[in-house]
C-alpha cells in the first residue's frame, strides 16, 4: 500500500498537560465499539467508573458523559486518567489518533494532522516545505469502491492546484481563479468528462460572479464556546490578504478534502470550503490583531469538527 503524508506529519508530539487548548474539553469523545467492549469487560473499580460514564447518544454513538464540558477522565492536572490507570493501549481510537487523520483511496492512504490541535497548527502553518512524502509498505489495503478514472484526474487537478498555490501569494484574485477552476472541473465531472478535467489549466478558466453570505452561514452554526462564537460573528470578506502563512492553510484544506470528492462529487464545494476558510481566518486575524495560528486552530475546532457546521458549508456551496 502507498502511504502519503506532509513532511511535518511525523514531527507531531502531544504536549499533554501543557496544551493551551486540550482536545479533552469541549468535544464529546466517541468510543469505538471494540474499545467499549473492552471497557465493559473490566471487573475493577476503575472499570466500573468507565462503564458508568459511557452512554449511547441520539446518533447511536457510544460517548463519554462530559462533566463541566470536559471529558470525565481529564483530571485536574489536565492528564488522562484512563492513560494513567490502564495504559495508552486502552485508549479509544478517537484519543489514540487525534489529531491525526487518514483517508483511503484504493491502494493509497493519505495521512495528515488536523489544524484544530494547537501543536499541529504550529507545524502546519509555520512549515516552509509543502512537499508530500510517500512510503510503500506491505499492508494490503481495504477494498473501497472508487472510480479510477475520476480519481486519477482529480489527482492531476489537485497537483495543479498545489503548484498554483505555491507559486504566488494568496490574493482575492488568486482565490477567485481557484473557484473558477473548481467550478469548471465540477461541470466536466458532472458530465463524466473525466479526461477533459485533467487538461484544464487554472489560468485559462473564466471568472464567474461569486459571493459568500458570511452572516447567514456563521449565524446558523453551532459553537463549542462563546469565545468561538464571538470570533466568527461579524464578517466582511473585503480585506487585503497579506499573510504568506495563508498558503499553508490553503494547502491544508485542499490536501485534506479535495480528493474526497471521488466519493461524493463535491469538487467545487471542497474548493470553495478551502477559499471560505482562508478568507474567514484571514479576516478574524486582521480584525482581532491575533496570532493567525490561534485563529486557524479555533476556526478548525469550531467548523471542521462539527458535522452540522461542516455540512452546512458544503450544502451552501453545492447550491452555487
Amino acid at each position: 500500500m502507498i502511504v502519503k503524508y506532509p513532511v511535518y506529519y511525523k514531527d507531531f508530539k502531544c504536549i499533554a498537560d501543557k496544551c493551551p487548548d486540550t482536545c479533552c474539553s469541549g468535544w464529546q469523545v466517541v468510543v469505538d465499539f471494540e474499545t467499549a467492549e473492552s471497557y465493559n469487560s473490566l471487573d475493577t473499580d476503575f472499570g466500573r467508573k468507565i462503564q458508568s460514564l459511557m452512554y449511547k447518544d441520539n446518533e447511536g454513538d457510544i460517548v463519554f458523559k462530559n462533566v463541566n464540558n470536559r471529558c470525565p477522565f481529564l483530571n485536574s492536572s489536565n492528564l488522562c486518567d484512563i492513560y494513567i490507570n490502564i495504559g495508552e493501549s486502552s485508549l479509544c481510537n478517537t484519543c489514540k489518533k487525534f489529531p491525526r487523520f487518514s483517508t483511503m483511496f484504493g491502494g493509497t492512504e493519505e495521512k495528515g494532522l488536523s489544524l484544530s490541535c494547537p501543536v499541529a497548527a504550529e507545524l502546519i502553518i509555520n512549515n516552509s516545505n509543502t512537499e508530500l512524502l510517500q512510503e510503500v509498505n506491505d499492508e494490503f489495503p481495504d477494498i473501497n469502491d472508487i472510480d479510477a478514472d475520476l480519481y486519477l484526474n482529480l489527482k492531476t487537478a489537485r497537483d495543479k492546484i498545489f503548484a498554483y498555490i505555491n507559486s504566488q501569494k494568496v490574493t482575492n484574485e488568486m482565490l477567485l481563479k481557484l473557484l473558477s477552476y473548481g467550478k469548471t472541473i465540477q461541470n466536466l465531472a458532472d458530465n463524466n468528462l473525466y479526461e477533459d478535467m485533467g487538461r484544464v489549466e487554472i489560468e485559462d478558466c473564466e471568472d464567474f460572479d461569486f459571493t459568500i453570505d458570511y452572516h447567514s452561514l456563521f449565524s446558523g452554526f453551532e459553537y463549542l464556546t462563546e469565545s468561538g462564537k464571538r470570533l466568527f460573528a461579524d464578517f466582511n470578506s473585503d480585506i487585503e490578504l497579506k499573510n504568506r502563512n495563508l498558503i499553508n492553510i490553503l494547502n491544508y484544506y485542499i490536501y485534506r478534502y479535495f480528493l474526497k470528492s471521488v466519493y461524493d462529487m463535491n469538487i467545487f464545494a471542497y474548493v470553495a470550503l478551502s477559499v471560505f476558510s482562508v478568507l474567514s481566518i484571514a479576516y478574524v486575524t486582521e480584525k482581532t490583531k491575533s496570532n493567525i495560528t490561534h485563529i486557524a486552530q479555533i476556526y478548525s475546532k469550531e467548523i471542521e469538527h462539527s458535522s452540522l457546521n461542516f455540512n452546512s458549508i458544503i450544502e451552501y456551496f453545492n447550491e452555487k
Side-chain angles (χ1 to χ4, degrees):
M1 180 167 66
I2 297 171
V3 181
K4 293 183 178 181
Y5 52 88
V7 291
Y8 53 77
Y9 177 76
K10 292 187 177 181
D11 294 334
F12 172 78
K13 289 182 177 62
C14 177
I15 58 175
D17 57 313
K18 298 179 180 64
C19 184
D21 187 22
T22 175
C23 53
C24 304
S25 68
W27 289 328
Q28 197 97 53
V29 175
V30 177
V31 183
D32 57 283
F33 179 77
E34 184 177 338
T35 305
E37 288 287 289
S38 71
Y39 290 158
N40 284 324
S41 69
L42 294 173
D43 189 18
T44 63
D45 288 344
F46 188 71
R48 282 182 280 277
K49 178 181 178 180
I50 298 178
Q51 294 153 20
S52 70
L53 291 168
M54 288 193 304
Y55 74 100
K56 190 172 286 188
D57 67 9
N58 293 334
E59 296 179 356
D61 293 322
I62 301 169
V63 298
F64 288 138
K65 189 180 299 181
N66 277 1
V67 177
N68 296 325
N69 207 32
R70 289 162 60 93
C71 173
F73 301 103
L74 181 65
N75 64 31
S76 59
S77 300
N78 274 353
L79 295 172
C80 174
D81 280 336
I82 292 179
Y83 186 107
I84 293 168
N85 282 271
I86 54 178
E88 182 179 6
S89 62
S90 298
L91 296 175
C92 64
N93 286 339
T94 300
C95 298
K96 282 179 184 174
K97 293 179 180 179
F98 186 82
R100 302 167 186 87
F101 66 83
S102 68
T103 310
M104 293 299 303
F105 302 105
T108 299
E109 179 182 19
E110 293 199 346
K111 296 181 176 183
L113 299 175
S114 174
L115 195 58
S116 57
C117 165
V119 177
E122 288 284 350
L123 288 171
I124 294 165
I125 292 177
N126 295 320
N127 167 56
S128 60
N129 187 344
T130 58
E131 183 184 3
L132 292 178
L133 302 182
Q134 180 172 302
E135 296 177 358
V136 179
N137 60 37
D138 295 331
E139 293 182 29
F140 191 79
D142 293 333
I143 302 300
N144 51 26
D145 188 20
I146 63 174
D147 186 308
D149 287 339
L150 175 60
Y151 173 67
L152 291 172
N153 284 286
L154 283 171
K155 276 182 59 182
T156 298
R158 191 179 69 172
D159 287 343
K160 290 181 180 182
I161 292 174
F162 284 150
Y164 184 72
I165 292 171
N166 295 315
S167 67
Q168 56 194 288
K169 292 183 178 179
V170 176
T171 64
N172 295 85
E173 293 75 21
M174 174 260 223
L175 294 177
L176 184 59
K177 187 61 75 173
L178 276 184
L179 290 168
S180 300
Y181 181 64
K183 177 63 76 174
T184 299
I185 60 174
Q186 177 74 66
N187 291 337
L188 292 170
D190 289 342
N191 290 287
N192 298 319
L193 299 173
Y194 301 152
E195 290 188 8
D196 289 347
M197 290 167 51
R199 299 188 185 104
V200 176
E201 299 300 331
I202 296 176
E203 293 84 352
D204 295 336
C205 295
E206 294 184 8
D207 293 345
F208 70 105
D209 291 333
F210 184 84
T211 57
I212 301 173
D213 187 345
Y214 287 93
H215 178 73
S216 68
L217 277 167
F218 280 98
S219 63
F221 288 161
E222 62 180 5
Y223 291 91
L224 291 170
T225 63
E226 281 301 314
S227 59
K229 186 175 183 178
R230 285 195 298 271
L231 280 174
F232 299 101
D234 181 22
F235 267 78
N236 173 12
S237 63
D238 186 20
I239 60 169
E240 181 184 354
L241 300 177
K242 53 189 177 183
N243 192 320
R244 186 166 175 80
N245 285 340
L246 293 174
I247 289 177
N248 290 350
I249 295 172
L250 190 52
N251 275 325
Y252 163 83
Y253 280 101
I254 291 294
Y255 175 69
R256 182 163 190 176
Y257 296 108
F258 183 80
L259 282 190
K260 287 188 176 183
S261 55
V262 74
Y263 293 110
D264 56 25
M265 292 292 283
N266 289 329
I267 300 169
F268 174 72
Y270 288 138
V271 174
L273 163 73
S274 304
V275 170
F276 171 81
S277 299
V278 164
L279 289 170
S280 299
I281 291 165
Y283 171 65
V284 173
T285 299
E286 185 68 21
K287 173 187 172 185
T288 61
K289 306 302 179 186
S290 301
N291 180 287
I292 192 169
T293 304
H294 172 68
I295 298 301
Q297 182 255 322
I298 296 299
Y299 170 88
S300 174
K301 188 172 182 177
E302 294 282 5
I303 306 304
E304 287 187 79
H305 293 274
S306 163
S307 57
L308 186 152
N309 295 348
F310 188 86
N311 291 335
S312 294
I313 293 173
I314 297 304
E315 290 170 11
Y316 176 86
F317 289 123
N318 272 334
E319 294 173 0
K320 288 288 185 179

